[in-house]
mmCIF file of all heavy atoms in Angstrom:
data_model
loop_
_atom_site.group_PDB
_atom_site.id
_atom_site.type_symbol
_atom_site.label_atom_id
_atom_site.label_comp_id
_atom_site.label_asym_id
_atom_site.label_seq_id
_atom_site.Cartn_x
_atom_site.Cartn_y
_atom_site.Cartn_z
ATOM 1 N N GLN A 673 0.664 -9.146 -1.121
ATOM 2 C CA GLN A 673 -0.489 -8.828 -1.968
ATOM 3 C C GLN A 673 -0.723 -9.938 -2.987
ATOM 4 O O GLN A 673 0.204 -10.352 -3.670
ATOM 5 C CB GLN A 673 -0.287 -7.482 -2.685
ATOM 6 C CG GLN A 673 -1.476 -7.009 -3.485
ATOM 7 C CD GLN A 673 -1.221 -5.661 -4.140
ATOM 8 O OE1 GLN A 673 -0.087 -5.210 -4.253
ATOM 9 N NE2 GLN A 673 -2.289 -4.986 -4.553
ATOM 10 N N GLY A 678 -6.085 -6.083 -2.286
ATOM 11 C CA GLY A 678 -5.262 -5.082 -1.672
ATOM 12 C C GLY A 678 -4.142 -5.698 -0.846
ATOM 13 O O GLY A 678 -4.207 -6.879 -0.481
ATOM 14 N N PHE A 728 7.241 4.010 7.182
ATOM 15 C CA PHE A 728 6.185 4.804 7.788
ATOM 16 C C PHE A 728 6.764 6.030 8.506
ATOM 17 O O PHE A 728 7.750 5.944 9.226
ATOM 18 C CB PHE A 728 5.425 3.960 8.820
ATOM 19 C CG PHE A 728 4.331 4.692 9.519
ATOM 20 C CD1 PHE A 728 3.031 4.663 9.037
ATOM 21 C CD2 PHE A 728 4.575 5.387 10.699
ATOM 22 C CE1 PHE A 728 2.016 5.331 9.684
ATOM 23 C CE2 PHE A 728 3.565 6.051 11.349
ATOM 24 C CZ PHE A 728 2.280 6.033 10.845
ATOM 25 N N SER A 737 -2.570 14.416 12.639
ATOM 26 C CA SER A 737 -1.507 13.530 12.139
ATOM 27 C C SER A 737 -2.059 12.475 11.196
ATOM 28 O O SER A 737 -3.205 12.019 11.333
ATOM 29 C CB SER A 737 -0.809 12.847 13.320
ATOM 30 O OG SER A 737 -1.719 11.971 13.979
ATOM 31 N N GLY A 739 -0.485 9.008 8.699
ATOM 32 C CA GLY A 739 0.664 8.139 8.452
ATOM 33 C C GLY A 739 1.038 8.143 6.991
ATOM 34 O O GLY A 739 0.272 7.664 6.189
ATOM 35 N N LYS A 740 2.206 8.640 6.674
ATOM 36 C CA LYS A 740 2.652 8.619 5.288
ATOM 37 C C LYS A 740 3.486 7.376 5.058
ATOM 38 O O LYS A 740 4.514 7.169 5.719
ATOM 39 C CB LYS A 740 3.446 9.875 4.952
ATOM 40 C CG LYS A 740 3.922 9.894 3.502
ATOM 41 C CD LYS A 740 4.401 11.262 3.081
ATOM 42 C CE LYS A 740 4.764 11.242 1.603
ATOM 43 N NZ LYS A 740 5.131 12.565 1.112
ATOM 44 N N GLY A 744 8.272 0.528 -1.348
ATOM 45 C CA GLY A 744 9.278 0.016 -2.273
ATOM 46 C C GLY A 744 8.575 -0.428 -3.542
ATOM 47 O O GLY A 744 7.368 -0.442 -3.654
ATOM 48 N N GLN A 745 9.401 -0.830 -4.530
ATOM 49 C CA GLN A 745 8.853 -1.194 -5.848
ATOM 50 C C GLN A 745 8.202 -2.560 -5.834
ATOM 51 O O GLN A 745 7.520 -2.933 -6.772
ATOM 52 C CB GLN A 745 9.954 -1.162 -6.915
ATOM 53 C CG GLN A 745 10.666 0.172 -7.047
ATOM 54 C CD GLN A 745 11.947 0.178 -6.245
ATOM 55 O OE1 GLN A 745 11.993 -0.271 -5.114
ATOM 56 N NE2 GLN A 745 12.996 0.711 -6.855
ATOM 57 N N ASN B 1403 -8.318 8.451 8.934
ATOM 58 C CA ASN B 1403 -7.554 9.053 7.838
ATOM 59 C C ASN B 1403 -7.809 8.154 6.628
ATOM 60 O O ASN B 1403 -7.811 6.932 6.730
ATOM 61 C CB ASN B 1403 -6.061 9.078 8.146
ATOM 62 C CG ASN B 1403 -5.733 9.968 9.329
ATOM 63 O OD1 ASN B 1403 -6.392 10.989 9.544
ATOM 64 N ND2 ASN B 1403 -4.716 9.619 10.072
ATOM 65 N N TYR B 1405 -7.004 7.351 2.376
ATOM 66 C CA TYR B 1405 -5.943 7.476 1.369
ATOM 67 C C TYR B 1405 -6.370 6.841 0.040
ATOM 68 O O TYR B 1405 -7.074 5.848 0.013
ATOM 69 C CB TYR B 1405 -4.668 6.735 1.838
ATOM 70 C CG TYR B 1405 -4.185 7.114 3.217
ATOM 71 C CD1 TYR B 1405 -4.721 6.513 4.351
ATOM 72 C CD2 TYR B 1405 -3.191 8.082 3.380
ATOM 73 C CE1 TYR B 1405 -4.274 6.843 5.625
ATOM 74 C CE2 TYR B 1405 -2.735 8.419 4.646
ATOM 75 C CZ TYR B 1405 -3.282 7.796 5.760
ATOM 76 O OH TYR B 1405 -2.840 8.142 7.020
ATOM 77 N N GLN B 1409 -1.396 1.844 -8.210
ATOM 78 C CA GLN B 1409 -0.365 0.831 -8.275
ATOM 79 C C GLN B 1409 -0.231 0.364 -9.716
ATOM 80 O O GLN B 1409 -1.178 -0.092 -10.342
ATOM 81 C CB GLN B 1409 -0.724 -0.371 -7.383
ATOM 82 C CG GLN B 1409 0.329 -1.449 -7.337
ATOM 83 C CD GLN B 1409 -0.058 -2.588 -6.430
ATOM 84 O OE1 GLN B 1409 -1.242 -2.863 -6.216
ATOM 85 N NE2 GLN B 1409 0.920 -3.243 -5.826
ATOM 86 N N GLY B 1414 5.115 -1.127 -6.591
ATOM 87 C CA GLY B 1414 4.738 -0.466 -5.350
ATOM 88 C C GLY B 1414 3.594 0.507 -5.548
ATOM 89 O O GLY B 1414 3.106 0.730 -6.643
ATOM 90 N N GLU B 1430 -0.797 14.481 -3.233
ATOM 91 C CA GLU B 1430 0.655 14.224 -3.163
ATOM 92 C C GLU B 1430 1.339 14.520 -4.493
ATOM 93 O O GLU B 1430 2.488 14.909 -4.509
ATOM 94 C CB GLU B 1430 0.893 12.763 -2.783
ATOM 95 C CG GLU B 1430 0.833 12.507 -1.300
ATOM 96 C CD GLU B 1430 2.008 13.097 -0.562
ATOM 97 O OE1 GLU B 1430 3.157 12.794 -0.924
ATOM 98 O OE2 GLU B 1430 1.763 13.897 0.379
ATOM 99 N N ASN B 1469 0.295 6.333 14.567
ATOM 100 C CA ASN B 1469 1.258 5.281 14.259
ATOM 101 C C ASN B 1469 0.609 3.914 14.080
ATOM 102 O O ASN B 1469 1.280 2.894 14.287
ATOM 103 C CB ASN B 1469 2.346 5.232 15.340
ATOM 104 C CG ASN B 1469 3.654 4.717 14.817
ATOM 105 O OD1 ASN B 1469 3.926 4.750 13.608
ATOM 106 N ND2 ASN B 1469 4.500 4.221 15.690
ATOM 107 N N GLN B 1472 -1.955 0.985 8.129
ATOM 108 C CA GLN B 1472 -3.034 1.227 7.181
ATOM 109 C C GLN B 1472 -3.673 -0.085 6.737
ATOM 110 O O GLN B 1472 -3.001 -1.104 6.628
ATOM 111 C CB GLN B 1472 -2.501 2.003 5.956
ATOM 112 C CG GLN B 1472 -2.101 3.427 6.314
ATOM 113 C CD GLN B 1472 -1.620 4.212 5.103
ATOM 114 O OE1 GLN B 1472 -1.866 3.837 3.948
ATOM 115 N NE2 GLN B 1472 -0.956 5.318 5.365
ATOM 116 N N GLY B 1475 -8.382 -1.595 0.935
ATOM 117 C CA GLY B 1475 -9.484 -2.239 0.236
ATOM 118 C C GLY B 1475 -8.937 -3.176 -0.815
ATOM 119 O O GLY B 1475 -7.714 -3.297 -0.988
#
Side-chain angles (χ1 to χ4, degrees):
Chain A
Q673 185 179 17
F728 179 92
S737 66
K740 180 165 184 176
Q745 303 96 316
Chain B
N1403 295 328
Y1405 308 84
Q1409 182 178 29
E1430 277 289 305
N1469 208 21
Q1472 291 182 16

